[in-house]
Amino acid sequence: MSQVQDNPEAVRKCAYLAGLLDGEGCFQAYIAERGLTKYRIAEPKHLGEPYMMTAYQVCIEMAMCDEKTIRWVHRNFGGAVAFKDCHRRNKACRDQWHWRVWNDTAYALLKKIYPFLIGKKHQAALIFKFMEVKKQKVKPGSHRWKLRDELLRKIAAEVKSQHLYRLRPDALETVHDAQAKPEMIQSDQRSDALG
């Protein structure tokens, strides 16, 4: 972080990326599980139950229609770029460019841009917590392993609940013009209901 603070150009780039991610980005912490394969022992003695491959993942992604911006982010911060041909399936949609970083790279990037985040600052803090818990060394199947897994699932669920499109309808406010009279608002509602 000190290298970023000493370099004004790096500070500007981090601030710009933070603004982009606040508006167009998505922070994710999730748990991917895969069942048994034929190469795995069905019931390890220390577990006493079928073994699941569990991967704890962190991802930062952004999708935009502007290829130049996505290429700039990729050039300056790494990660991966993918193209999604939306126009072919739906003529009303524009094609999208996606940029993603995962796990330790995402964690290091979040540390750089965290001071500049506004809207997604709480999600970033949850990702920090997720990564700290994930890095704890525990024996698979032990009591501490189960507690760690439970805590990681709770943090991942909280990160997911912070996405704007997942807000409950009662969490959204309706803002009226300060100049409008209450009678006008009620009459507008009545006319909407009738028409």
Side-chain angles (χ1 to χ4, degrees), residues 29-31 56 122 126-127 129-130 133 146-162:
Y30 56 93
I31 291 133
Y56 304 98
H122 182 64
L126 288 169
I127 298 254
K129 187 175 179 183
F130 185 90
V133 173
K146 289 177 182 175
L147 289 174
R148 186 189 76 150
D149 182 68
E150 186 180 318
L151 181 57
L152 287 168
R153 288 176 191 279
K154 284 181 182 175
I155 297 169
E158 192 172 346
V159 171
K160 190 175 185 180
S161 73
Q162 296 294 315

Side-chain angles (χ1 to χ4, degrees), residues 33-158:
E33 291 180 325
R34 287 183 298 174
L36 299 166
T37 66
K38 62 182 180 179
Y39 303 107
R40 299 201 172 277
I41 298 168
E43 289 192 20
K45 291 176 185 173
H46 67 281
L47 288 177
E49 56 191 36
Y51 182 69
M52 293 290 286
M53 282 288 293
T54 307
Y56 304 98
Q57 306 288 327
V58 165
C59 177
I60 300 173
E61 67 178 312
M62 179 170 49
M64 298 179 82
C65 299
D66 183 20
E67 179 186 359
K68 278 197 274 188
T69 304
I70 292 292
R71 293 285 181 197
W72 180 89
V73 171
H74 178 251
R75 191 170 52 253
N76 286 283
F77 298 99
V81 174
F83 173 72
K84 188 174 180 183
D85 187 2
C86 302
H87 187 70
R88 187 178 58 178
R89 287 182 305 178
N90 184 349
K91 299 297 179 195
C93 293
R94 295 169 60 190
D95 294 336
Q96 287 185 342
W97 292 86
H98 291 253
W99 168 80
R100 289 186 182 106
V101 288
W102 294 271
N103 298 323
D104 291 335
T105 309
Y107 183 65
L109 181 61
L110 269 183
K111 281 186 171 182
K112 290 180 186 176
I113 66 169
Y114 184 77
F116 307 107
L117 288 170
I118 298 171
K120 290 191 168 68
K121 200 162 201 138
H122 182 64
Q123 275 185 305
L126 288 169
I127 298 254
F128 290 145
K129 187 175 179 183
F130 185 90
M131 290 298 284
E132 287 168 14
V133 173
K134 174 188 166 182
K135 290 180 180 183
Q136 293 176 1
K137 300 290 183 195
V138 291
K139 183 179 176 183
S142 68
H143 179 66
R144 287 187 68 214
W145 183 85
K146 289 177 182 175
L147 289 174
R148 186 189 76 150
D149 182 68
E150 186 180 318
L151 181 57
L152 287 168
R153 288 176 191 279
K154 284 181 182 175
I155 297 169
E158 192 172 346

